[in-house]
């Protein structure tokens, strides 16, 4: 692995360490890189922002999108101090990042009480088998909006 990769991972790890010291969230950090430059930084802000989605990767993705003025991060890579949880992995796919580099594993995170195994298991189950009830409601009304979107000529596809 090149020294650049190690440099960017050390930046993510430094963000995780500083975040822990600042007591603004869990020990997680991430950076988004494009063309050899950091374009987004993030650390876990769940407890300080009262936002359960403010994981380091999501914060870094939001920062990179703001800085690049684009909702697509195609052509970018993310370096994260820990293997992404299911939510962050989904966000990485939605952002269209090219590659993920991670340091700690999901098993390392579980060892310090950040265990995502339940989420991985739940996502893999059919809706009917999940512990969170999921109830369809007013589909016909919602489908009308989808039909309008499909016919819309000035939409921005993503």
């Amino acid at each position: 692995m090149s020294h650049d990769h190690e440099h960017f991972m050390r930046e993510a790890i430094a963000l995780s360490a500083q975040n822990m010291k600042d007591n603004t969230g869990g020990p997680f950090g991430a950076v988004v890189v494009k063309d050899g430059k950091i374009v987004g930084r993030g650390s876990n802000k769940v407890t300080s922002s009262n936002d359960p989605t403010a994981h380091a990767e999501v914060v870094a993705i939001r920062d990179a999108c703001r800085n690049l003025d684009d909702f697509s991060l195609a052509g970018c890579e993310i370096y994260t101090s820990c293997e992404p949880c299911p939510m962050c992995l989904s966000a990485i796919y939605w952002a269209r990042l090219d590659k993920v580099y991670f340091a700690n594993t999901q098993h390392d995170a579980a060892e310090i009480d950040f265990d995502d195994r339940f989420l991985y298991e739940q996502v893999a189950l059919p809706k009917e088998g999940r512990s969170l009830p999921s109830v369809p409601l007013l589909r016909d009304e919602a489908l009308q909006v989808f039909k309008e979107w499909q016919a819309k000529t000035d939409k921005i596809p993503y």
Side-chain angles (χ1 to χ4, degrees):
M1 187 178 294
S2 80
H3 293 293
D4 284 346
H5 292 301
E6 292 174 359
H7 167 74
F8 296 132
M9 185 58 74
R10 285 189 179 106
E11 288 290 318
I13 293 168
L15 284 168
S16 73
Q18 188 61 53
N19 197 58
M20 179 187 59
K21 290 173 189 163
D22 292 345
N23 207 28
T24 52
F28 304 97
V31 296
V32 175
V33 174
K34 182 173 185 159
D35 299 327
K37 295 183 180 174
I38 295 176
V39 295
R41 286 179 162 77
S43 55
N44 182 289
K45 302 295 182 201
V46 170
T47 57
S48 60
S49 68
N50 293 319
D51 179 354
T53 68
H55 289 198
E57 296 91 339
V58 172
V59 173
I61 287 167
R62 290 174 180 163
D63 188 46
C65 288
R66 255 189 318 274
N67 291 333
L68 296 173
D69 195 28
D70 200 339
F71 56 80
S72 173
L73 296 178
C76 298
E77 300 173 331
I78 191 166
Y79 295 77
T80 178
S81 65
C82 188
E83 185 175 359
C85 75
M87 177 187 69
C88 292
L89 186 58
S90 295
I92 289 165
Y93 274 104
W94 274 113
R96 294 174 174 76
L97 287 150
D98 291 358
K99 189 178 281 188
V100 179
Y101 296 91
F102 64 91
N104 292 315
T105 68
Q106 62 179 283
H107 304 292
D108 297 329
E111 289 290 320
I112 62 164
D113 298 324
F114 290 96
D115 192 352
D116 298 327
R117 181 180 29 201
F118 173 76
L119 297 174
Y120 283 105
E121 291 169 354
Q122 288 291 303
V123 168
L125 292 172
K127 286 187 295 270
E128 302 77 25
R130 295 178 187 157
S131 66
L132 180 67
S134 181
V135 182
L137 185 64
L138 297 178
R139 180 171 179 246
D140 290 340
E141 291 179 33
L143 274 174
Q144 183 57 41
V145 178
F146 273 14
K147 289 175 186 174
E148 289 173 25
W149 169 262
Q150 192 172 27
K152 188 173 171 58
T153 59
D154 63 342
K155 64 186 170 201
I156 299 171
Y158 61 95

